Amino acid sequence: MDHKSKVIIFVDDDLQPIGEFDAPVNFELDTRKLKDGFHQLKIVSKDPAGKEGVRIIPFKVRNGPAIAVEGLKDNDEVDGVLPLMINAYGKGNQKQFLIDGSETPKSVPSWLISGIIAFVAWAIYFTITSLG
């Protein structure tokens, strides 16, 4: 009879485990084999007496290129024509940093434009009133 607990690891609803080990175990989950999106890691442990314990850990994979969208946020209520700015960039070769495409450009915020207009209007008013 085996005197160690067993650990069986599943990903999502797969019936075939990705590994079965004697406890304790150090394990590396290679997420590059998974599609981007939500997944779950299911860990089943069995002690020497045959009792089972289960732990399910949800996680999200994002190995593909990052996608940034400006002009539309989650659950926005919209109508008409929407101007969108979309950028996608991958991690590339992680041993070399690439500047091109690594940052998402942003449009100038409306509060900044309003502030500049207010300042220019005040400057014109101040200039006109100080001349007289």
Side-chain angles (χ1 to χ4, degrees), residues 76-96:
D76 272 355
E77 186 173 315
V78 299
D79 64 356
V81 178
L82 292 177
L84 301 177
M85 182 186 313
I86 301 171
N87 190 14
Y89 47 92
K91 296 174 187 167
N93 179 355
Q94 295 191 4
K95 295 179 183 181
Q96 177 182 359

Side-chain angles (χ1 to χ4, degrees), residues 40-129:
Q40 66 180 16
L41 187 68
K42 180 179 175 183
I43 304 166
V44 178
S45 64
K46 292 184 182 182
D47 69 9
K51 293 182 183 178
E52 283 191 3
V54 177
R55 179 155 182 209
I56 297 175
I57 304 170
F59 63 98
K60 184 178 180 182
V61 172
R62 193 181 88 180
N63 288 322
I67 300 171
V69 178
E70 186 175 331
L72 184 64
K73 294 179 185 156
D74 290 349
N75 303 313
D76 272 355
E77 186 173 315
V78 299
D79 64 356
V81 178
L82 292 177
L84 301 177
M85 182 186 313
I86 301 171
N87 190 14
Y89 47 92
K91 296 174 187 167
N93 179 355
Q94 295 191 4
K95 295 179 183 181
Q96 177 182 359
F97 180 70
L98 299 175
I99 292 179
D100 187 34
S102 64
E103 291 188 15
T104 301
K106 301 254 185 202
S107 59
V108 177
S110 58
W111 62 265
L112 182 61
I113 294 172
S114 300
I116 292 171
I117 291 172
F119 177 75
V120 168
W122 173 82
I124 292 171
Y125 170 79
F126 181 78
T127 304
I128 292 172
T129 56

